[in-house]
Amino acid sequence: MKILVCISKTPDTTSKIAFKNNNTKFEEAGVQWIINPYDEWYALVRAIELKEKDAGTVIHLVTVGGADTEPIIRKAFALGGDEAIRINATSDDSFYVASQIAEIAKQGGYDLIFTGKETIDYNSSSIGGMIAGLLDIPFISLATKFDITGTTTTVTREIEGGEEIAEVSLPVVVSCAKGVAEQRIPNMRGIMAARTKPLKVVEPAAIEPLTHVTSYELPPAKAGVKLVAADNVAELVRLLHEEAKAI
Amino acid sequence: MVLIFIDHADGHIKKASFEALTYGAALAKQLGTNAEGLLCGTVADDLALLGKYGITKVNQVNNEALNNLDSLVYGKTIADAVTALGAKVLVFSHNQTGRAVAPVVAAKLKAGLVTGAIALPDTSNGFVVKKSVFSGKAYANVNITSDIKIISLNPNSYKTVAGEGTAEVSQLNIAIDSLKVKLTAVNKVSGEVPLTEADIVVSGGRGLKGPENWGIIEDLAHVLHAATACSRPVADSNWRPHHEHVGQTGEQIAPNLYIAIGISGAIQHLAGVNRSKHIVVINKDPEAPFFKAADYGIVGDAFEVVPKLTEEIRKLHNS
Ligand SMILES: Cc1cc2nc3c(=O)[nH]c(=O)nc-3n(C[C@H](O)[C@H](O)[C@H](O)COP(=O)(O)OP(=O)(O)OC[C@H]3O[C@@H](n4cnc5c(N)ncnc54)[C@H](O)[C@@H]3O)c2cc1C
Ligand SMILES: Nc1ncnc2c1ncn2[C@@H]1O[C@H](COP(=O)(O)O)[C@@H](O)[C@H]1O
């Protein structure tokens, strides 16, 4: 089986969020970059688990990004994965990114394409569905469990107030949420092996972006907390009822 | 025309779709055009009544096969409907269904998609949609330049307005592909308010010490008709089911009221809840970071404060 795992780079979860150039660019100074948690903890680790069960499995990683994404790819390699492809382009348009990955997927003949549920910086939750739409293959979003027997996959996905279990044949695109795999940390052998695994750089296909970010804003600051004494709970209820009109 | 996707489950239209309909109707007005709804499958609800949210017509692809979600089949069906109806803007709710379907439609139509919108677009110069980014820590203004534009609206970020009026219900004939995703089971937690749809959420953290103490959280949630949630370590220790985990790596929610009990307010937790309209924090540590993000707070022991709070709310409801 051939698996393609989509890997993206995001600021560390504790990063200070600030903007520069008249609020048109994210301030990267001092930011630590990590593999998007959904891509690492769930999508990539599940692919590795599948390979551990079936040694014939091949895992390719793909990222759309500049040379600055290579440390992220090496980190992913330390966990597992056989080869990586970096499409040398940066874009904040989901359609552009998905189209680039779809081009790679067409050439690679993958049985399974994993993405994360969403990136924690752009929060689009879009790339997986778009890749599926472009390749015209089924898509399962927000998977919390993923199993495979032969060429049939059994996937549990989140729905409002519960979950749905469905079966679908390969090939399929799956976006992975919490539950799909157990988070791992790389071991020394993995870290050593990561240095020499092949990372191929390809130039992007000509695709017209359909959206672009014009500016960023920070939310208005909170006015400050109103504290109520612990022996005066009735006052909190009054405030929630009369002032906030929330209950 | 602005077309709004109407999402349903168990025969009923979801609350998130009422918000999307209201939003879509307001957008149509802003653009000087009309708004229509699109429903795939069958429901028990009276579709004509959806006119009260400002739409003139509901287009229904009346095919029971569509009561089960297969993203690809749905995506193609909706794309065909957009083409057949000549819609220029398509609105989804950014709920689980929206996440499953909107990107497929966008790919099929080569339409620019902005997910997680929190306000009407600015159409004075282009078509600029404000969306939530960095897990609620910032907003981006995104211009859609394609001919057909797709927006998915964050749940609980646009207020539903119901007026007068009925909508014409019209059947739309679209041939659908056979489903490739075979649904084998649906497990719903019965009697609970779904977290992403809830107006009020009561959430507990490690401060509650153990799963046996969750009764006070559930009692409070019960009197408020609220959904329950928890911090990540609580779900990781299996004190609570995983689907209750909110935060950066869990569910992102934006209820009208979020009550955090025994939760420290780590940045990754805040990332899932900071779009809530009102935040109440109950924590025994006055230095807990959550107080900085809160509107109201009580410094105190959850085991004393929460039962009193439940009691006072009961009194309020009875008065
Ligand atoms: C990459 C990454 C992603 C993460 N994603 C998430 C996420 O999605 N969601 C999430 O929640 N966390 C997430 N975390 C973890 C996060 O950093 C915190 O560790 C976690 O939120 C802490 O949970 P807590 O507040 O329940 O527990 P604690 O930090 O242990 O806080 C317990 C609180 O309870 C208070 N308390 C104790 N006893 C009482 C009492 N009797 N009455 C009242 N208050 C009391 C204490 O004062 C304390 O403030 C993530 C971390 C990382 C590194
Ligand atoms: N630039 C990128 N390169 C490779 N994969 C990406 C990229 N951006 C997003 N993805 C994948 O798509 C998923 C969803 O991203 P998004 O739709 O941007 O929220 C991520 O979790 C990744 O798996």
Side-chain angles (χ1 to χ4, degrees):
Chain A
M1 187 170 56
K2 262 184 104 173
I3 309 177
L4 184 66
V5 183
C6 302
I7 299 286
S8 53
K9 142 181 171 275
T10 50
D12 166 51
T13 53
T14 57
S15 300
K16 179 173 171 348
I17 306 303
F19 303 101
K20 61 180 183 183
N21 298 2
N22 219 354
N23 285 328
T24 56
K25 256 189 90 60
F26 176 59
E27 177 56 85
E28 300 190 353
V31 168
Q32 290 268 4
W33 297 95
I34 58 168
I35 310 172
N36 186 46
Y38 293 104
D39 310 356
E40 175 185 341
W41 302 355
Y42 310 128
L44 177 58
V45 175
R46 189 66 191 133
I48 296 167
E49 289 171 354
L50 295 173
K51 189 181 163 101
E52 284 167 354
K53 278 198 250 170
D54 170 12
T57 299
V58 174
I59 303 173
H60 286 182
L61 314 179
V62 64
T63 192
V64 180
D68 57 345
T69 50
E70 292 196 0
I72 295 302
I73 293 287
R74 293 286 169 207
K75 275 192 196 165
F77 267 159
L79 280 164
D82 302 302
E83 286 176 35
I85 302 141
R86 176 170 74 81
I87 302 158
N88 189 24
T90 48
S91 174
D92 50 34
D93 178 46
S94 302
F95 181 79
Y96 180 92
V97 171
S99 299
Q100 301 300 341
I101 296 173
E103 286 303 316
I104 295 296
K106 273 180 207 159
Q107 295 158 24
Y110 298 95
D111 303 294
L112 184 58
I113 301 176
F114 274 151
T115 73
K117 165 186 167 182
E118 63 181 37
T119 48
I120 63 167
D121 52 0
Y122 201 59
N123 305 125
S124 278
S125 238
S126 300
I127 302 291
M130 283 186 178
I131 297 171
L134 290 165
L135 298 176
D136 206 41
I137 60 176
F139 171 53
I140 307 265
S141 60
L142 311 180
T144 54
K145 275 192 201 112
F146 178 89
D147 272 302
I148 187 158
T149 327
T151 56
T152 305
T153 66
T154 306
V155 194
T156 305
R157 62 178 283 268
E158 282 175 32
I159 55 170
E160 277 89 18
E163 57 179 33
E164 231 173 53
I165 303 170
E167 283 177 4
V168 59
S169 295
L170 298 174
V172 62
V173 181
V174 179
S175 87
C176 301
K178 187 181 156 163
V180 162
E182 286 288 331
Q183 188 184 348
R184 292 187 181 186
I185 46 170
N187 58 26
M188 206 53 210
R189 221 179 85 210
I191 295 168
M192 298 303 289
R195 295 187 191 158
T196 52
K197 287 184 181 173
L199 193 167
K200 190 166 91 184
V201 181
V202 300
E203 290 307 313
I207 302 286
E208 194 65 40
L210 305 178
T211 65
H212 68 270
V213 174
T214 57
S215 65
Y216 293 96
E217 292 169 29
L218 291 172
K222 284 257 177 194
V225 59
K226 268 193 194 168
L227 287 179
V228 174
D231 57 5
N232 195 8
V233 176
E235 172 61 5
L236 177 65
V237 173
R238 189 194 67 79
L239 286 168
L240 290 177
H241 183 61
E242 289 173 15
E243 190 179 82
K245 298 190 168 46
I247 60 173
Chain B
M1 186 256 285
V2 174
L3 188 65
I4 302 112
F5 173 74
I6 304 167
D7 190 16
H8 58 97
D10 308 321
H12 299 293
I13 294 161
K14 292 185 194 168
K15 175 185 152 224
S17 289
F18 302 144
E19 296 165 5
L21 286 165
T22 310
Y23 176 94
L27 175 56
K29 203 162 170 199
Q30 181 180 323
L31 296 171
T33 179
N34 68 312
E36 299 182 8
L38 173 66
L39 186 124
C40 297
T42 56
V43 289
D45 297 352
D46 183 354
L47 294 177
L49 293 181
L50 295 176
K52 69 178 178 210
Y53 301 110
I55 56 167
T56 52
K57 187 169 154 189
V58 177
N59 302 281
Q60 181 177 21
V61 186
N62 198 332
N63 188 327
E64 282 186 1
L66 292 170
N67 293 345
N68 289 340
L69 184 87
D70 176 322
S71 297
L72 185 65
V73 175
Y74 247 78
K76 278 191 198 168
T77 307
I78 297 167
D80 288 349
V82 168
T83 309
L85 297 165
K88 285 293 171 208
V89 182
L90 179 62
V91 177
F92 286 89
S93 171
H94 192 47
N95 62 359
Q96 271 86 340
T97 312
R99 287 170 193 253
V101 177
V104 179
V105 182
K108 290 291 172 204
L109 293 171
K110 295 213 176 341
L113 167 66
V114 175
T115 60
I118 57 147
L120 285 170
D122 177 353
T123 48
S124 60
N125 183 12
F127 193 96
V128 182
V129 185
K130 185 183 282 198
K131 73 160 288 192
S132 173
V133 289
F134 294 101
S135 308
K137 284 176 263 182
Y139 304 119
N141 295 301
V142 188
N143 192 15
I144 310 183
T145 49
S146 52
D147 180 33
I148 298 174
K149 300 166 174 68
I150 309 183
I151 304 174
S152 76
L153 176 68
N154 254 350
N156 286 331
S157 50
Y158 200 79
K159 204 169 170 43
T160 302
V161 182
E164 301 288 313
T166 51
E168 176 200 340
V169 179
S170 151
Q171 303 304 324
L172 194 60
N173 235 329
I174 290 178
I176 70 160
D177 288 1
S178 60
L179 268 57
K180 295 213 179 69
V181 176
K182 199 176 103 210
L183 195 65
T184 54
V186 178
N187 304 324
K188 285 216 175 166
V189 196
S190 60
E192 278 184 39
V193 183
L195 188 51
T196 45
E197 296 218 331
D199 247 349
I200 305 181
V201 174
V202 179
S203 187
R206 213 147 50 176
L208 286 156
K209 311 283 189 284
E212 66 282 5
N213 295 329
W214 242 261
I216 57 170
I217 301 285
E218 281 167 351
D219 288 347
L220 177 58
H222 184 74
V223 292
L224 288 168
H225 303 290
T228 49
C230 67
S231 67
R232 189 176 118 195
V234 164
D236 283 353
S237 328
N238 288 319
W239 293 1
R240 296 296 292 176
H242 281 287
H243 64 79
E244 285 199 358
H245 156 201
V246 291
Q248 183 107 63
T249 45
E251 213 60 68
Q252 274 105 49
I253 55 171
N256 193 31
L257 176 62
Y258 183 74
I259 306 182
I261 301 164
I263 304 176
S264 58
I267 194 158
Q268 297 91 356
H269 183 86
L270 295 180
V273 302
N274 56 10
R275 287 184 299 106
S276 309
K277 202 148 285 152
H278 305 282
I279 296 180
V280 174
V281 170
I282 299 170
N283 194 304
K284 70 174 184 190
D285 174 11
E287 303 294 321
F290 221 143
F291 284 117
K292 291 205 179 66
D295 301 289
Y296 303 99
I298 291 184
V299 178
D301 186 333
F303 298 102
E304 285 164 27
V305 173
V306 176
K308 278 193 211 155
L309 184 56
T310 306
E311 198 40 50
E312 289 297 333
I313 291 165
R314 219 174 255 137
K315 272 194 219 157
L316 173 77
H317 288 168
N318 291 338
S319 64

